[in-house]
Amino acid sequence: MEKRAVSTERLYGRLVRRILERFGTGQRSGREGVGTLKELGEWLRSQEWSIATLRLYRMALLWYFVDVGGQGTREEVGAILGMEGAVRKKRRGGPGKRRKSEKGWEPVVGWLHQRPVGRDVALWMEAAMRAGYRPGEWWESRLEPAHRRLWIPTAKGKRDESGNRLRGVGIEDEAGRIWRYLDFASESDWQVVEAAMLLRDRLVGEGRSSPEVLASYAQWLRRAWDAVHGTVRPRMTLYSARHVFAGRMKKAGVDRRTLAAAMGQISTKSGKVYGRALHAGMVKPGVVVPEVLVNTVRTPGMGLAVGGLAGGSPAGGSPADGSPGGASFSVSPGG
């Protein structure tokens, strides 16, 4: 059985209870066998939910019936609860989880810069927009000033039972940690990223922790957005900065494999949901994505790429190929 975080199992448990309550209890709880399970699948596909909601409910039910209940294999139950023929409702201006572009960001920056802590939040966002790291990756990222290089620990690395990498692109260190890196062709972008890492060092020296700092920054960002934009939704969140990075890369014409490598994703499929090139603004990406990482990204339908790389790390210096070569993009003045 696949191991999951306790928080994920709790979420799945809540979702399953909600589904079964809405579908019906007793005889229709899904416990009487495949016949009822088939009805449940038909009912799921008839609901006017978004694609994301339907997919999440399906994963929760697979966990409940297969992992917890032991009722068949994931393939068997998954076929019954499949999404083919589902009513797919596109979200209409709902609140959403987060804004996926930098639209509306400029006035928020102005509000933040008027407050001491707000300036730190603005710096964090600007750096993340240039490096594309996840919020949790920032705290342990490392600088290599000699190459204007940022090493980022991939937060979502994962392997299957055979050792093949399922998630995360990068160079694996001796401890099994996966690192990706970006070289900055833009001096101004490098200065922003460097300043954000110096901010991290100061916070560590003050005894602060990553969860504490990020929670505070997220709260300040919500406050700033509401002060400037009122009830306009979705808000920008800390994770929105990663979407902005992807949007800028897409607008610059970056191919999918290069984008995936820059964001630490093993497949080009993941990048489809990131960023909005239409609202990417005028700032062009100033990073060089190393080919040694791009070549490990797989494209669905075209087979798997290399399972992983060894050698090179923030502690070991240069990557396996010993050079900063890769895919580079034009840099705008001051961008």
Side-chain angles (χ1 to χ4, degrees), residues 192-239:
V192 172
V193 171
E194 189 175 37
M197 300 311 299
L198 291 174
L199 168 63
R200 186 276 314 273
D201 293 343
R202 174 171 63 82
L203 293 169
V204 170
E206 295 173 358
R208 306 283 296 277
S209 67
S210 175
E212 173 195 1
V213 171
L214 293 175
S216 173
Y217 285 4
Q219 186 176 25
W220 271 95
L221 191 55
R222 288 194 298 270
R223 182 181 173 189
W225 182 272
D226 290 348
V228 173
H229 297 292
T231 59
V232 175
R233 298 293 184 271
R235 296 185 181 103
M236 286 199 82
T237 69
L238 297 182
Y239 210 91

Side-chain angles (χ1 to χ4, degrees), residues 74-95:
R74 297 184 70 84
E75 289 74 18
E76 293 169 345
V77 177
I80 298 171
L81 299 177
M83 297 175 63
E84 186 176 351
V87 177
R88 300 188 175 186
K89 181 180 180 181
K90 190 174 181 180
R91 186 189 298 275
R92 292 185 180 179

Side-chain angles (χ1 to χ4, degrees), residues 100-103 105-106 109 122 125-132 184 186 189 192-193 236 240-255 259 263 274-287 329-330 332 334-335:
K100 294 186 177 182
S101 74
E102 56 195 290
K103 186 177 181 181
W105 169 240
E106 190 171 341
V109 175
M125 289 290 289
E126 291 291 346
M129 289 176 184
R130 287 160 171 77
F184 285 80
S186 165
D189 281 4
V192 172
V193 171
M236 286 199 82
S240 294
R242 184 165 160 85
H243 283 277
V244 171
F245 174 82
R248 290 175 177 176
M249 296 281 274
K250 288 179 178 180
K251 188 171 183 177
V254 175
D255 65 87
L259 175 59
M263 300 184 72
Y274 278 90
R276 294 289 184 269
L278 179 63
H279 302 300
M282 300 304 295
V283 179
K284 296 181 180 179
V287 297
F329 314 103
S330 58
S332 61

Side-chain angles (χ1 to χ4, degrees), residues 77-211:
V77 177
I80 298 171
L81 299 177
M83 297 175 63
E84 186 176 351
V87 177
R88 300 188 175 186
K89 181 180 180 181
K90 190 174 181 180
R91 186 189 298 275
R92 292 185 180 179
K97 291 180 64 177
R98 63 181 69 92
R99 187 164 290 264
K100 294 186 177 182
S101 74
E102 56 195 290
K103 186 177 181 181
W105 169 240
E106 190 171 341
V108 172
V109 175
W111 189 94
L112 288 169
H113 274 292
Q114 296 174 23
R115 294 151 180 85
V117 178
R119 287 193 286 272
D120 291 346
V121 178
L123 172 61
W124 189 97
M125 289 290 289
E126 291 291 346
M129 289 176 184
R130 287 160 171 77
Y133 44 59
R134 299 176 179 90
E137 295 174 338
W138 163 64
W139 198 257
E140 296 186 9
S141 293
R142 298 288 182 267
L143 295 176
E144 191 178 342
H147 294 93
R148 282 206 306 225
R149 179 173 297 168
L150 177 69
W151 289 89
I152 305 170
T154 300
K156 293 190 175 182
K158 182 179 179 182
R159 292 183 181 275
D160 61 18
E161 295 178 354
S162 302
N164 298 313
R165 192 177 295 175
L166 299 176
R167 303 184 71 174
V169 157
I171 299 170
E172 196 166 321
D173 62 18
E174 294 179 354
R177 193 79 184 270
I178 302 171
W179 296 82
R180 67 186 186 275
Y181 70 93
L182 297 173
D183 291 334
F184 285 80
S186 165
E187 174 64 28
S188 59
D189 281 4
W190 172 251
Q191 289 176 357
V192 172
V193 171
E194 189 175 37
M197 300 311 299
L198 291 174
L199 168 63
R200 186 276 314 273
D201 293 343
R202 174 171 63 82
L203 293 169
V204 170
E206 295 173 358
R208 306 283 296 277
S209 67
S210 175

Side-chain angles (χ1 to χ4, degrees), residues 253-271:
V254 175
D255 65 87
R256 290 181 178 180
R257 293 185 71 200
T258 300
L259 175 59
M263 300 184 72
Q265 297 165 340
I266 195 70
S267 171
T268 58
K269 185 177 181 180
S270 302

